[in-house]
Short mmCIF file of all heavy atoms in Angstrom, two decimals:
data_model
loop_
_atom_site.label_atom_id
_atom_site.label_comp_id
_atom_site.label_asym_id
_atom_site.label_seq_id
_atom_site.Cartn_x
_atom_site.Cartn_y
_atom_site.Cartn_z
N ILE A 316 108.32 167.11 218.33
CA ILE A 316 107.11 167.42 217.58
C ILE A 316 106.72 168.89 217.77
O ILE A 316 106.34 169.58 216.81
CB ILE A 316 105.96 166.49 218.00
CG1 ILE A 316 106.30 165.04 217.63
CG2 ILE A 316 104.65 166.91 217.33
CD1 ILE A 316 105.34 164.02 218.19
N SER A 317 106.84 169.38 219.00
CA SER A 317 106.51 170.76 219.29
C SER A 317 107.44 171.72 218.55
O SER A 317 107.01 172.73 217.99
CB SER A 317 106.60 171.01 220.80
OG SER A 317 106.39 172.37 221.11
N GLN A 318 108.74 171.38 218.51
CA GLN A 318 109.71 172.23 217.82
C GLN A 318 109.48 172.23 216.32
O GLN A 318 109.61 173.26 215.65
CB GLN A 318 111.13 171.75 218.14
CG GLN A 318 111.55 172.01 219.57
CD GLN A 318 112.71 171.15 220.00
OE1 GLN A 318 113.40 170.55 219.19
NE2 GLN A 318 112.93 171.08 221.31
N LEU A 319 109.11 171.08 215.77
CA LEU A 319 108.81 171.00 214.34
C LEU A 319 107.58 171.84 214.01
O LEU A 319 107.57 172.60 213.03
CB LEU A 319 108.56 169.54 213.94
CG LEU A 319 108.14 169.34 212.47
CD1 LEU A 319 109.26 169.77 211.52
CD2 LEU A 319 107.77 167.88 212.22
N LYS A 320 106.55 171.73 214.84
CA LYS A 320 105.33 172.50 214.62
C LYS A 320 105.63 174.00 214.63
O LYS A 320 105.15 174.74 213.75
CB LYS A 320 104.31 172.17 215.71
CG LYS A 320 103.01 172.95 215.60
CD LYS A 320 102.05 172.58 216.73
CE LYS A 320 100.79 173.43 216.69
NZ LYS A 320 99.86 173.09 217.80
N GLU A 321 106.44 174.44 215.59
CA GLU A 321 106.77 175.87 215.68
C GLU A 321 107.59 176.32 214.48
O GLU A 321 107.39 177.42 213.95
CB GLU A 321 107.55 176.13 216.98
CG GLU A 321 107.82 177.60 217.24
CD GLU A 321 108.55 177.84 218.54
OE1 GLU A 321 108.72 176.88 219.32
OE2 GLU A 321 108.98 178.99 218.76
N THR A 322 108.49 175.47 214.01
CA THR A 322 109.33 175.81 212.86
C THR A 322 108.51 175.95 211.58
O THR A 322 108.74 176.85 210.78
CB THR A 322 110.43 174.74 212.67
OG1 THR A 322 111.26 174.68 213.83
CG2 THR A 322 111.30 175.05 211.45
N LEU A 323 107.55 175.05 211.39
CA LEU A 323 106.75 175.08 210.17
C LEU A 323 105.64 176.12 210.23
O LEU A 323 105.05 176.45 209.20
CB LEU A 323 106.14 173.69 209.90
CG LEU A 323 107.13 172.53 209.75
CD1 LEU A 323 106.40 171.27 209.33
CD2 LEU A 323 108.24 172.87 208.77
N SER A 324 105.38 176.63 211.42
CA SER A 324 104.29 177.60 211.58
C SER A 324 104.74 179.03 211.30
O SER A 324 103.91 179.92 211.16
CB SER A 324 103.73 177.54 213.01
OG SER A 324 103.11 176.29 213.26
N ASN A 325 106.05 179.25 211.25
CA ASN A 325 106.56 180.61 211.11
C ASN A 325 107.43 180.72 209.86
O ASN A 325 108.53 180.17 209.81
CB ASN A 325 107.36 181.00 212.35
CG ASN A 325 107.62 182.48 212.43
OD1 ASN A 325 107.75 183.16 211.41
ND2 ASN A 325 107.71 183.00 213.65
N GLN A 326 106.94 181.44 208.88
CA GLN A 326 107.61 181.56 207.59
C GLN A 326 109.02 182.15 207.70
O GLN A 326 109.86 181.91 206.84
CB GLN A 326 106.76 182.42 206.64
CG GLN A 326 107.27 182.51 205.21
CD GLN A 326 107.18 181.21 204.45
OE1 GLN A 326 106.31 180.38 204.75
NE2 GLN A 326 108.05 181.01 203.47
N ARG A 327 109.29 182.89 208.76
CA ARG A 327 110.61 183.54 208.86
C ARG A 327 111.74 182.52 209.01
O ARG A 327 112.91 182.84 208.77
CB ARG A 327 110.64 184.54 210.02
CG ARG A 327 110.78 183.95 211.41
CD ARG A 327 110.77 185.04 212.47
NE ARG A 327 110.99 184.52 213.80
CZ ARG A 327 112.19 184.37 214.35
NH1 ARG A 327 113.28 184.69 213.66
NH2 ARG A 327 112.32 183.90 215.58
N PHE A 328 111.39 181.28 209.39
CA PHE A 328 112.42 180.25 209.53
C PHE A 328 112.75 179.58 208.19
O PHE A 328 113.68 178.79 208.12
CB PHE A 328 111.97 179.17 210.53
CG PHE A 328 111.84 179.68 211.94
CD1 PHE A 328 110.64 179.52 212.63
CD2 PHE A 328 112.89 180.30 212.57
CE1 PHE A 328 110.51 179.98 213.93
CE2 PHE A 328 112.78 180.78 213.87
CZ PHE A 328 111.58 180.62 214.56
N SER A 329 111.99 179.90 207.15
CA SER A 329 112.20 179.23 205.86
C SER A 329 113.60 179.46 205.31
O SER A 329 114.17 178.59 204.64
CB SER A 329 111.15 179.72 204.85
OG SER A 329 111.30 181.10 204.59
N VAL A 330 114.18 180.64 205.60
CA VAL A 330 115.50 180.96 205.07
C VAL A 330 116.57 179.99 205.55
O VAL A 330 117.61 179.82 204.91
CB VAL A 330 115.88 182.42 205.46
CG1 VAL A 330 116.09 182.55 206.96
CG2 VAL A 330 117.11 182.89 204.71
N ALA A 331 116.31 179.31 206.66
CA ALA A 331 117.28 178.34 207.21
C ALA A 331 117.30 177.04 206.42
O ALA A 331 118.20 176.22 206.61
CB ALA A 331 116.95 178.06 208.68
N PHE A 332 116.33 176.86 205.54
CA PHE A 332 116.22 175.58 204.83
C PHE A 332 116.26 175.71 203.31
O PHE A 332 116.29 174.69 202.62
CB PHE A 332 114.91 174.89 205.24
CG PHE A 332 114.77 174.71 206.72
CD1 PHE A 332 113.99 175.56 207.47
CD2 PHE A 332 115.47 173.71 207.38
CE1 PHE A 332 113.87 175.41 208.85
CE2 PHE A 332 115.38 173.55 208.75
CZ PHE A 332 114.58 174.41 209.48
N ILE A 333 116.26 176.93 202.80
CA ILE A 333 116.29 177.15 201.36
C ILE A 333 117.65 177.70 200.97
O ILE A 333 118.02 178.80 201.40
CB ILE A 333 115.18 178.13 200.91
CG1 ILE A 333 113.81 177.58 201.33
CG2 ILE A 333 115.24 178.34 199.40
CD1 ILE A 333 112.67 178.54 201.02
N PRO A 334 118.42 176.99 200.15
CA PRO A 334 119.73 177.49 199.72
C PRO A 334 119.59 178.81 198.97
O PRO A 334 118.63 179.03 198.25
CB PRO A 334 120.24 176.38 198.78
CG PRO A 334 119.47 175.16 199.17
CD PRO A 334 118.12 175.66 199.60
N SER A 335 120.56 179.70 199.18
CA SER A 335 120.53 181.00 198.48
C SER A 335 121.88 181.25 197.84
O SER A 335 122.87 180.57 198.13
CB SER A 335 120.20 182.12 199.46
OG SER A 335 121.32 182.43 200.25
N ASN A 336 121.92 182.26 196.97
CA ASN A 336 123.16 182.60 196.29
C ASN A 336 123.93 183.72 196.98
O ASN A 336 124.95 184.17 196.47
CB ASN A 336 122.84 183.03 194.84
CG ASN A 336 122.30 181.87 194.02
OD1 ASN A 336 122.75 180.74 194.16
ND2 ASN A 336 121.34 182.16 193.15
N ASN A 337 123.41 184.18 198.13
CA ASN A 337 124.14 185.22 198.86
C ASN A 337 125.51 184.70 199.28
O ASN A 337 125.64 183.59 199.79
CB ASN A 337 123.36 185.66 200.10
CG ASN A 337 122.17 186.52 199.74
OD1 ASN A 337 122.09 187.02 198.61
ND2 ASN A 337 121.27 186.72 200.68
N LYS A 338 126.53 185.51 199.03
CA LYS A 338 127.91 185.06 199.25
C LYS A 338 128.23 184.89 200.73
O LYS A 338 128.94 183.97 201.13
CB LYS A 338 128.87 186.05 198.61
CG LYS A 338 130.33 185.60 198.67
CD LYS A 338 131.22 186.54 197.89
CE LYS A 338 132.67 186.06 197.92
NZ LYS A 338 133.56 186.98 197.16
N TYR A 339 127.72 185.80 201.57
CA TYR A 339 128.07 185.79 202.98
C TYR A 339 126.87 185.37 203.83
O TYR A 339 125.80 185.95 203.72
CB TYR A 339 128.54 187.18 203.43
CG TYR A 339 129.69 187.70 202.60
CD1 TYR A 339 129.48 188.67 201.62
CD2 TYR A 339 130.99 187.24 202.80
CE1 TYR A 339 130.53 189.15 200.85
CE2 TYR A 339 132.04 187.71 202.04
CZ TYR A 339 131.80 188.67 201.06
OH TYR A 339 132.85 189.13 200.30
N LYS A 340 127.07 184.38 204.66
CA LYS A 340 125.98 183.86 205.49
C LYS A 340 126.43 183.81 206.94
O LYS A 340 127.56 183.40 207.24
CB LYS A 340 125.55 182.48 205.02
CG LYS A 340 124.98 182.45 203.61
CD LYS A 340 124.59 181.04 203.21
CE LYS A 340 123.89 181.04 201.85
NZ LYS A 340 124.78 181.48 200.77
N ILE A 341 125.56 184.21 207.83
CA ILE A 341 125.81 184.11 209.27
C ILE A 341 124.83 183.09 209.83
O ILE A 341 123.61 183.26 209.70
CB ILE A 341 125.61 185.47 209.96
CG1 ILE A 341 126.54 186.52 209.35
CG2 ILE A 341 125.87 185.36 211.46
CD1 ILE A 341 126.28 187.92 209.85
N MET A 342 125.33 182.02 210.42
CA MET A 342 124.46 180.95 210.89
C MET A 342 125.11 180.18 212.02
O MET A 342 126.30 180.33 212.30
CB MET A 342 124.13 180.00 209.74
CG MET A 342 125.33 179.23 209.21
SD MET A 342 124.92 178.11 207.85
CE MET A 342 124.56 179.26 206.55
N THR A 343 124.31 179.34 212.67
CA THR A 343 124.85 178.46 213.71
C THR A 343 125.63 177.33 213.05
O THR A 343 125.44 177.02 211.87
CB THR A 343 123.72 177.86 214.56
OG1 THR A 343 122.91 177.02 213.73
CG2 THR A 343 122.86 178.95 215.19
N ILE A 344 126.50 176.70 213.82
CA ILE A 344 127.26 175.57 213.31
C ILE A 344 126.33 174.44 212.89
O ILE A 344 126.51 173.80 211.85
CB ILE A 344 128.26 175.07 214.37
CG1 ILE A 344 129.40 176.10 214.53
CG2 ILE A 344 128.85 173.73 213.98
CD1 ILE A 344 130.19 176.34 213.28
N PHE A 345 125.29 174.19 213.69
CA PHE A 345 124.40 173.08 213.36
C PHE A 345 123.70 173.33 212.03
O PHE A 345 123.51 172.41 211.24
CB PHE A 345 123.37 172.86 214.47
CG PHE A 345 122.66 171.54 214.35
CD1 PHE A 345 123.20 170.40 214.91
CD2 PHE A 345 121.48 171.43 213.64
CE1 PHE A 345 122.57 169.17 214.78
CE2 PHE A 345 120.84 170.21 213.51
CZ PHE A 345 121.38 169.08 214.08
N ALA A 346 123.31 174.57 211.79
CA ALA A 346 122.62 174.91 210.54
C ALA A 346 123.54 174.73 209.34
O ALA A 346 123.08 174.56 208.21
CB ALA A 346 122.09 176.33 210.59
N ALA A 347 124.86 174.77 209.57
CA ALA A 347 125.82 174.65 208.48
C ALA A 347 126.13 173.21 208.11
O ALA A 347 126.81 172.96 207.11
CB ALA A 347 127.13 175.36 208.87
N LYS A 348 125.62 172.25 208.88
CA LYS A 348 125.90 170.85 208.59
C LYS A 348 125.46 170.49 207.18
O LYS A 348 124.37 170.84 206.75
CB LYS A 348 125.18 169.94 209.60
CG LYS A 348 125.86 169.85 210.94
CD LYS A 348 125.21 168.79 211.82
CE LYS A 348 125.96 168.59 213.12
NZ LYS A 348 125.35 167.55 213.97
N GLY A 349 126.34 169.80 206.46
CA GLY A 349 126.03 169.38 205.11
C GLY A 349 126.33 170.43 204.05
O GLY A 349 126.24 170.14 202.86
N LEU A 350 126.71 171.65 204.47
CA LEU A 350 127.01 172.73 203.53
C LEU A 350 128.51 172.90 203.39
O LEU A 350 129.28 172.47 204.24
CB LEU A 350 126.37 174.03 203.99
CG LEU A 350 124.87 174.03 204.23
CD1 LEU A 350 124.40 175.38 204.74
CD2 LEU A 350 124.12 173.65 202.97
N GLU A 351 128.93 173.57 202.30
CA GLU A 351 130.34 173.86 202.09
C GLU A 351 130.49 175.32 201.68
O GLU A 351 129.63 175.87 200.99
CB GLU A 351 130.94 172.97 201.00
CG GLU A 351 131.15 171.53 201.41
CD GLU A 351 131.90 170.76 200.34
OE1 GLU A 351 131.73 171.07 199.14
OE2 GLU A 351 132.66 169.85 200.70
N PHE A 352 131.61 175.94 202.11
CA PHE A 352 131.88 177.32 201.79
C PHE A 352 133.36 177.46 201.45
O PHE A 352 134.18 176.70 201.96
CB PHE A 352 131.54 178.24 202.97
CG PHE A 352 130.13 178.08 203.48
CD1 PHE A 352 129.85 177.19 204.51
CD2 PHE A 352 129.09 178.78 202.91
CE1 PHE A 352 128.56 177.02 204.97
CE2 PHE A 352 127.80 178.63 203.36
CZ PHE A 352 127.52 177.74 204.39
N ASP A 353 133.69 178.43 200.59
CA ASP A 353 135.10 178.66 200.27
C ASP A 353 135.87 179.03 201.52
O ASP A 353 136.99 178.55 201.75
CB ASP A 353 135.23 179.78 199.23
CG ASP A 353 134.70 179.38 197.87
OD1 ASP A 353 134.65 178.16 197.60
OD2 ASP A 353 134.33 180.26 197.09
N GLN A 354 135.27 179.86 202.36
CA GLN A 354 135.95 180.34 203.56
C GLN A 354 134.99 180.34 204.74
O GLN A 354 133.83 180.69 204.59
CB GLN A 354 136.47 181.76 203.31
CG GLN A 354 137.21 182.38 204.47
CD GLN A 354 137.85 183.70 204.07
OE1 GLN A 354 138.88 183.71 203.41
NE2 GLN A 354 137.24 184.81 204.44
N VAL A 355 135.48 179.92 205.90
CA VAL A 355 134.66 179.88 207.11
C VAL A 355 135.36 180.67 208.21
O VAL A 355 136.57 180.54 208.40
CB VAL A 355 134.45 178.42 207.58
CG1 VAL A 355 133.75 178.38 208.94
CG2 VAL A 355 133.63 177.64 206.55
N ILE A 356 134.60 181.51 208.90
CA ILE A 356 135.14 182.31 210.00
C ILE A 356 134.41 181.93 211.30
O ILE A 356 133.18 181.87 211.33
CB ILE A 356 134.96 183.82 209.74
CG1 ILE A 356 135.66 184.22 208.43
CG2 ILE A 356 135.52 184.64 210.90
CD1 ILE A 356 135.43 185.65 208.02
N GLY A 357 135.17 181.65 212.33
CA GLY A 357 134.59 181.30 213.61
C GLY A 357 135.32 181.99 214.75
O GLY A 357 136.32 182.70 214.53
N PHE A 358 134.85 181.78 215.97
CA PHE A 358 135.46 182.38 217.15
C PHE A 358 136.07 181.27 218.02
O PHE A 358 135.36 180.36 218.46
CB PHE A 358 134.43 183.17 217.95
CG PHE A 358 133.92 184.39 217.22
CD1 PHE A 358 132.81 184.32 216.40
CD2 PHE A 358 134.59 185.60 217.34
CE1 PHE A 358 132.35 185.43 215.70
CE2 PHE A 358 134.15 186.73 216.66
CZ PHE A 358 133.02 186.64 215.83
#
Side-chain angles (χ1 to χ4, degrees):
I316 296 171
S317 175
Q318 290 161 16
L319 176 64
K320 179 181 176 181
E321 186 178 352
T322 299
L323 302 187
S324 295
N325 195 328
Q326 186 68 27
R327 78 181 184 89
F328 294 125
S329 63
V330 67
F332 305 101
I333 302 176
S335 76
N336 294 322
N337 286 345
K338 185 174 182 180
Y339 304 103
K340 297 179 174 64
I341 302 173
M342 66 180 70
T343 64
I344 289 299
F345 194 87
K348 282 188 175 181
L350 304 178
E351 287 187 328
F352 306 92
D353 291 336
Q354 180 172 283
V355 173
I356 301 174
F358 293 90

